[in-house]
Amino acid sequence: MALYNRDSKLSEAIMAHPNLIPVVNRLGIRLGVGDGTICSVCECCNIDADFFLSVINTFLDEDYFPSDAAGTFSLEKTVDYLQKTNNYYLRVQLPNIDRHFGSLVERSGSDNNLHLLRKFYQDMRSQLTECLSYDEDILFPALTGGSADSVEFNSGYSEVEEKLHDLLFFFVEHLKGEYDLNLCTAVVTAVFSLEKDVCQNNRIRNRILLPLVENLKQS
Protein backbone atom coordinates (compact mmCIF):
# COMPACT_ATOMS: atom_id res chain seq x y z
CA MET A 1 0.00 0.00 0.00
CA ALA A 2 1.27 3.46 -0.89
CA LEU A 3 2.34 5.69 1.98
CA TYR A 4 0.83 8.80 0.40
CA ASN A 5 -1.96 9.61 -2.03
CA ARG A 6 -3.34 12.66 -3.83
CA ASP A 7 -5.20 13.85 -0.73
CA SER A 8 -2.22 13.64 1.64
CA LYS A 9 -0.79 16.95 2.82
CA LEU A 10 2.63 17.47 1.31
CA SER A 11 3.88 19.39 4.36
CA GLU A 12 3.05 16.43 6.60
CA ALA A 13 4.90 14.04 4.28
CA ILE A 14 8.01 16.24 4.34
CA MET A 15 7.89 16.71 8.10
CA ALA A 16 7.62 12.94 8.58
CA HIS A 17 10.41 12.25 6.08
CA PRO A 18 12.89 15.17 5.80
CA ASN A 19 14.95 13.14 3.33
CA LEU A 20 12.16 13.91 0.84
CA ILE A 21 13.33 17.53 0.59
CA PRO A 22 15.90 16.97 -2.20
CA VAL A 23 13.47 14.60 -3.91
CA VAL A 24 10.62 17.12 -4.13
CA ASN A 25 13.18 19.74 -5.19
CA ARG A 26 14.19 17.51 -8.12
CA LEU A 27 10.54 17.15 -9.03
CA GLY A 28 10.12 20.93 -9.19
CA ILE A 29 8.73 21.85 -5.76
CA ARG A 30 10.49 24.11 -3.26
CA LEU A 31 9.87 24.44 0.45
CA GLY A 32 7.05 26.74 1.53
CA VAL A 33 4.36 24.35 0.32
CA GLY A 34 1.63 25.61 2.68
CA ASP A 35 -0.99 23.18 3.93
CA GLY A 36 -2.14 22.00 0.51
CA THR A 37 -2.59 18.41 -0.55
CA ILE A 38 -0.11 16.73 -2.83
CA CYS A 39 -2.63 17.04 -5.64
CA SER A 40 -3.19 20.77 -5.14
CA VAL A 41 0.52 21.57 -4.77
CA CYS A 42 1.33 19.60 -7.90
CA GLU A 43 -1.41 21.41 -9.82
CA CYS A 44 0.01 24.79 -8.75
CA CYS A 45 3.47 23.74 -9.91
CA ASN A 46 2.23 22.12 -13.13
CA ILE A 47 3.51 18.69 -12.05
CA ASP A 48 1.89 15.34 -12.80
CA ALA A 49 0.60 14.28 -9.37
CA ASP A 50 0.57 10.56 -10.23
CA PHE A 51 4.20 10.66 -11.31
CA PHE A 52 5.11 12.66 -8.19
CA LEU A 53 3.40 10.11 -5.94
CA SER A 54 5.02 7.20 -7.73
CA VAL A 55 8.48 8.67 -7.16
CA ILE A 56 8.09 9.59 -3.50
CA ASN A 57 6.33 6.34 -2.56
CA THR A 58 8.98 4.26 -4.34
CA PHE A 59 11.65 6.39 -2.67
CA LEU A 60 10.21 5.86 0.82
CA ASP A 61 8.86 2.31 0.75
CA GLU A 62 10.98 -0.62 -0.38
CA ASP A 63 7.84 -2.76 -0.70
CA TYR A 64 5.94 -0.28 -2.86
CA PHE A 65 5.68 -1.06 -6.56
CA PRO A 66 3.79 1.41 -8.79
CA SER A 67 1.01 -0.26 -10.72
CA ASP A 68 1.19 -0.05 -14.52
CA ALA A 69 4.33 2.07 -14.51
CA ALA A 70 4.80 1.65 -18.25
CA GLY A 71 1.25 2.76 -18.97
CA THR A 72 1.15 5.71 -16.59
CA PHE A 73 4.54 7.40 -16.45
CA SER A 74 6.59 9.00 -19.20
CA LEU A 75 10.14 8.07 -20.00
CA GLU A 76 11.02 11.75 -20.40
CA LYS A 77 9.89 12.67 -16.88
CA THR A 78 11.69 9.73 -15.32
CA VAL A 79 14.94 10.46 -17.13
CA ASP A 80 14.65 14.14 -16.19
CA TYR A 81 14.24 13.21 -12.53
CA LEU A 82 17.23 10.86 -12.62
CA GLN A 83 19.36 13.48 -14.35
CA LYS A 84 18.56 15.94 -11.57
CA THR A 85 19.38 13.23 -9.02
CA ASN A 86 22.76 12.62 -10.64
CA ASN A 87 23.48 16.35 -10.65
CA TYR A 88 22.61 16.47 -6.95
CA TYR A 89 25.18 13.74 -6.27
CA LEU A 90 27.85 15.62 -8.23
CA ARG A 91 27.15 19.16 -7.09
CA VAL A 92 25.96 18.69 -3.50
CA GLN A 93 26.45 15.32 -1.84
CA LEU A 94 29.89 14.29 -3.08
CA PRO A 95 31.45 17.77 -2.58
CA ASN A 96 29.94 17.83 0.90
CA ILE A 97 31.57 14.51 1.80
CA ASP A 98 34.86 15.57 0.17
CA ARG A 99 34.95 18.76 2.22
CA HIS A 100 34.14 17.11 5.54
CA PHE A 101 36.44 14.14 4.93
CA GLY A 102 39.34 16.42 4.01
CA SER A 103 38.87 18.50 7.15
CA LEU A 104 38.55 15.36 9.27
CA VAL A 105 41.88 13.98 8.04
CA GLU A 106 43.65 17.34 8.38
CA ARG A 107 42.47 17.98 11.94
CA SER A 108 42.82 14.50 13.36
CA GLY A 109 46.56 13.97 13.21
CA SER A 110 48.16 10.73 12.04
CA ASP A 111 47.38 8.35 14.91
CA ASN A 112 44.37 6.76 13.17
CA ASN A 113 43.36 4.79 10.07
CA LEU A 114 41.38 7.58 8.42
CA HIS A 115 43.65 7.56 5.38
CA LEU A 116 42.53 3.97 4.65
CA LEU A 117 38.88 4.89 4.99
CA ARG A 118 39.32 7.90 2.73
CA LYS A 119 41.06 5.74 0.11
CA PHE A 120 38.09 3.35 0.17
CA TYR A 121 35.73 6.34 -0.18
CA GLN A 122 37.71 7.76 -3.09
CA ASP A 123 37.59 4.42 -4.92
CA MET A 124 33.81 4.29 -4.40
CA ARG A 125 33.52 7.92 -5.53
CA SER A 126 35.37 7.13 -8.77
CA GLN A 127 33.02 4.23 -9.48
CA LEU A 128 29.97 6.39 -8.80
CA THR A 129 31.19 9.17 -11.10
CA GLU A 130 31.80 6.57 -13.82
CA CYS A 131 28.17 5.46 -13.46
CA LEU A 132 27.00 9.06 -13.66
CA SER A 133 29.10 9.70 -16.76
CA TYR A 134 27.67 6.59 -18.44
CA ASP A 135 24.16 7.84 -17.73
CA GLU A 136 24.88 11.31 -19.07
CA ASP A 137 26.91 10.31 -22.13
CA ILE A 138 25.24 7.07 -23.22
CA LEU A 139 22.13 5.90 -21.39
CA PHE A 140 20.02 9.04 -21.12
CA PRO A 141 20.71 10.32 -24.69
CA ALA A 142 19.83 6.88 -26.07
CA LEU A 143 16.59 6.66 -24.08
CA THR A 144 15.41 10.17 -24.92
CA GLY A 145 16.45 9.64 -28.54
CA GLY A 146 14.33 6.51 -28.90
CA SER A 147 17.25 4.06 -29.10
CA ALA A 148 16.32 1.88 -26.15
CA ASP A 149 17.21 -1.36 -27.96
CA SER A 150 20.89 -0.41 -28.08
CA VAL A 151 21.49 0.45 -24.43
CA GLU A 152 22.40 -1.55 -21.36
CA PHE A 153 21.81 -0.53 -17.76
CA ASN A 154 24.90 -0.03 -15.66
CA SER A 155 25.09 -2.49 -12.75
CA GLY A 156 27.62 -0.26 -11.01
CA TYR A 157 25.01 1.52 -8.88
CA SER A 158 24.34 -1.67 -6.92
CA GLU A 159 28.06 -2.04 -6.28
CA VAL A 160 28.26 1.60 -5.17
CA GLU A 161 25.39 1.00 -2.77
CA GLU A 162 27.23 -1.97 -1.26
CA LYS A 163 30.47 0.01 -0.92
CA LEU A 164 28.70 2.88 0.80
CA HIS A 165 27.25 0.40 3.28
CA ASP A 166 30.73 -1.10 3.78
CA LEU A 167 32.22 2.36 4.38
CA LEU A 168 29.66 3.06 7.10
CA PHE A 169 30.45 -0.33 8.63
CA PHE A 170 34.18 0.46 8.62
CA PHE A 171 33.54 3.71 10.47
CA VAL A 172 31.30 2.06 13.03
CA GLU A 173 33.42 -1.02 13.76
CA HIS A 174 36.97 -0.41 12.57
CA LEU A 175 37.82 3.27 13.08
CA LYS A 176 40.99 3.54 15.20
CA GLY A 177 43.04 6.22 16.91
CA GLU A 178 42.35 9.85 17.70
CA TYR A 179 40.06 11.92 15.50
CA ASP A 180 37.84 15.00 15.54
CA LEU A 181 34.48 13.75 16.81
CA ASN A 182 32.34 16.51 15.26
CA LEU A 183 33.91 16.20 11.82
CA CYS A 184 33.70 12.41 11.97
CA THR A 185 29.99 12.68 12.72
CA ALA A 186 29.58 15.06 9.78
CA VAL A 187 31.29 12.60 7.42
CA VAL A 188 29.29 9.60 8.61
CA THR A 189 26.01 11.54 8.40
CA ALA A 190 26.78 12.69 4.86
CA VAL A 191 27.80 9.18 3.76
CA PHE A 192 24.64 7.72 5.29
CA SER A 193 22.54 10.29 3.40
CA LEU A 194 24.21 9.39 0.10
CA GLU A 195 23.89 5.65 0.77
CA LYS A 196 20.19 6.00 1.47
CA ASP A 197 19.67 8.16 -1.62
CA VAL A 198 21.50 5.74 -3.93
CA CYS A 199 19.56 2.80 -2.49
CA GLN A 200 16.21 4.49 -2.94
CA ASN A 201 16.97 5.72 -6.43
CA ASN A 202 18.09 2.22 -7.44
CA ARG A 203 14.51 1.21 -6.67
CA ILE A 204 13.20 4.02 -8.88
CA ARG A 205 15.41 2.83 -11.71
CA ASN A 206 14.31 -0.77 -11.29
CA ARG A 207 10.61 -0.21 -10.63
CA ILE A 208 9.81 2.75 -12.87
CA LEU A 209 12.51 3.24 -15.50
CA LEU A 210 13.01 -0.42 -16.45
CA PRO A 211 9.28 -1.08 -17.13
CA LEU A 212 9.18 2.06 -19.25
CA VAL A 213 12.19 0.94 -21.28
CA GLU A 214 10.78 -2.56 -21.73
CA ASN A 215 7.53 -1.07 -22.95
CA LEU A 216 9.44 1.11 -25.43
CA LYS A 217 11.33 -1.91 -26.76
CA GLN A 218 8.09 -3.79 -27.37
CA SER A 219 6.30 -0.92 -29.11
Side-chain angles (χ1 to χ4, degrees):
M1 179 180 294
L3 289 174
Y4 295 103
N5 57 49
R6 298 168 68 92
D7 296 324
S8 303
K9 286 190 176 183
L10 182 55
S11 60
E12 293 179 355
I14 294 173
M15 288 296 294
H17 306 280
N19 57 325
L20 277 179
I21 292 174
V23 179
V24 300
N25 287 165
R26 296 168 203 159
L27 289 164
I29 295 174
R30 292 181 172 273
L31 295 183
V33 298
D35 64 350
T37 65
I38 288 175
C39 183
S40 64
V41 174
C42 285
E43 285 180 356
C44 290
C45 297
N46 196 28
I47 296 169
D48 185 321
D50 290 329
F51 178 76
F52 181 93
L53 284 164
S54 176
V55 169
I56 68 168
N57 282 319
T58 302
F59 191 89
L60 292 173
D61 185 359
E62 64 182 22
D63 295 323
Y64 174 75
F65 194 95
S67 60
D68 192 24
T72 305
F73 309 108
S74 77
L75 183 64
E76 292 76 13
K77 289 178 181 177
T78 306
V79 168
D80 179 68
Y81 171 79
L82 291 173
Q83 283 180 315
K84 290 175 180 175
T85 299
N86 288 358
N87 286 335
Y88 185 71
Y89 294 160
L90 285 172
R91 297 178 182 178
V92 179
Q93 288 181 296
L94 289 175
N96 185 46
I97 298 173
D98 294 343
R99 183 171 59 254
H100 288 311
F101 221 142
S103 297
L104 174 61
V105 172
E106 290 172 6
R107 300 182 188 182
S108 297
S110 57
D111 182 28
N112 53 61
N113 59 347
L114 285 171
H115 61 289
L116 295 176
L117 298 184
R118 184 161 68 164
K119 177 62 167 60
F120 186 88
Y121 162 72
Q122 289 170 336
D123 290 343
M124 179 283 302
R125 190 191 196 287
S126 295
Q127 185 172 4
L128 176 56
T129 54
E130 287 177 5
C131 292
L132 301 177
S133 295
Y134 177 81
D135 283 352
E136 189 66 25
D137 298 337
I138 298 175
L139 179 62
F140 293 159
L143 294 179
T144 55
S147 304
D149 290 334
S150 64
V151 300
E152 296 182 0
F153 280 82
N154 194 329
S155 62
Y157 284 108
S158 295
E159 295 176 10
V160 167
E161 183 181 336
E162 292 176 1
K163 289 182 178 179
L164 283 165
H165 180 79
D166 290 342
L167 180 58
L168 290 169
F169 178 78
F170 295 156
F171 266 103
V172 171
E173 290 213 359
H174 300 295
L175 181 58
K176 297 178 181 178
E178 297 296 322
Y179 56 87
D180 186 294
L181 181 59
N182 289 334
L183 286 170
C184 183
T185 301
V187 172
V188 171
T189 300
V191 171
F192 177 78
S193 177
L194 178 60
E195 189 261 350
K196 191 172 182 65
D197 207 333
V198 170
C199 173
Q200 291 162 324
N201 278 290
N202 280 343
R203 291 203 298 269
I204 289 173
R205 288 171 178 271
N206 293 331
R207 299 181 186 184
I208 296 178
L209 184 61
L210 277 176
L212 289 171
V213 172
E214 289 303 315
N215 186 63
L216 182 63
K217 289 180 178 180
Q218 295 172 9
S219 62

